[in-house]
Amino acid sequence: MEKNYHVYVLASRSHVLYTGVTRDLMSRVGQHREGKVSSFTAKYRIHRLVYFETFRGVRAAIAREKQIKSWTGEKRAELIQATDSTWVDLAAEWFPSYPRKAGPSASLGMTGFRRGGKEELHNKARAVGTAKAVP
């Protein structure tokens, strides 16, 4: 019996990314959704499967995982974007929908910020010459 290994990328709604490797993709994504395997993915609500690759050997899968992890966030985002520009959850049909976090940020329309949002916003403002101090 041939064993397959999967390199996968999970994302939060704000595009914080997590890259991992597993033999059982469905089970592993389920563990992330339940908060059983990584405090990082639980803390940042990283549970949407947005990319994966399948390998026949564990060494090739681990090498690819290390390669992807060494990339900048921007390069990882480009990898995902190349296969799916909407960042749809590829495992959405495997599990019940993940509940959205209730709180003031959602009601204020602040769910679109990505990692480094304030710094990125400040840099954009500076580029157009309207930089303001961001607390």
Side-chain angles (χ1 to χ4, degrees), residues 8 13-14 45 50 56 63 80 113 119 121 126 132:
Y8 62 95
R13 291 186 61 78
S14 59
R45 298 175 60 84
V50 293
R56 290 186 181 187
I80 297 161
F113 281 101
E119 182 179 313
L121 185 62
R126 188 176 339 145
K132 293 182 181 178

Side-chain angles (χ1 to χ4, degrees), residues 7 19-21 59-71:
V7 174
T19 305
V21 66
R59 290 180 187 197
I62 291 170
R64 179 64 169 161
E65 176 198 26
K66 287 180 180 182
Q67 179 186 38
I68 293 171
K69 282 184 172 183
S70 73
W71 293 350

